[in-house]
Amino acid sequence: MNEIGEKYLPIGTVVLLKNAEKKVMITGFASMSPETGDTIFDYSGCPYPEGFLNYNEVCVFNHDQIDKVFFKGFIDDEELDFKKVLVEQLN
């Protein structure tokens, strides 16, 4: 699968960021930068396949930084309802 699709891919989606060699799994949305604390990024993620090991390995990134989607996470009605609220809150 290589379609980037609409903004806010579901939790569990595995992506490769532009200019990166390591895959990332999306673990959250609207995350603040740990360095600056004032910039909000579209996603937070952890290394794939290792998962979350410690706070130093959490990354934040924006949708336009995604180069390739390897796996799209689980989508159900609850996820779709959440995404509507997320988009409303961020707009």
Side-chain angles (χ1 to χ4, degrees):
M1 171 181 278
N2 191 23
E3 58 187 82
I4 304 304
E6 69 179 82
K7 195 170 181 177
Y8 303 116
L9 295 161
I11 297 289
T13 297
V14 178
V15 300
L16 182 67
L17 302 178
K18 294 175 183 172
N19 301 315
E21 296 179 12
K22 184 77 178 149
K23 294 179 189 113
V24 174
M25 183 176 68
I26 295 172
T27 58
F29 305 103
S31 299
M32 293 183 97
S33 168
E35 287 84 28
T36 63
D38 60 352
T39 303
I40 296 177
F41 290 85
D42 296 331
Y43 302 103
S44 61
C46 63
Y48 178 86
E50 298 88 278
F52 179 81
L53 298 173
N54 65 58
Y55 289 104
N56 294 332
E57 293 185 4
V58 173
C59 67
V60 290
F61 57 97
N62 287 316
H63 191 79
D64 62 1
Q65 293 176 273
I66 298 172
D67 185 43
K68 185 174 183 179
V69 175
F70 288 93
F71 174 81
K72 197 168 184 180
F74 181 68
I75 300 172
D76 64 0
D77 289 340
E78 187 175 9
E79 194 271 342
L80 294 172
D81 290 343
F82 168 77
K83 194 177 294 180
K84 286 179 191 173
V85 172
L86 174 68
V87 170
E88 287 173 6
Q89 293 293 318
L90 293 174
N91 284 339

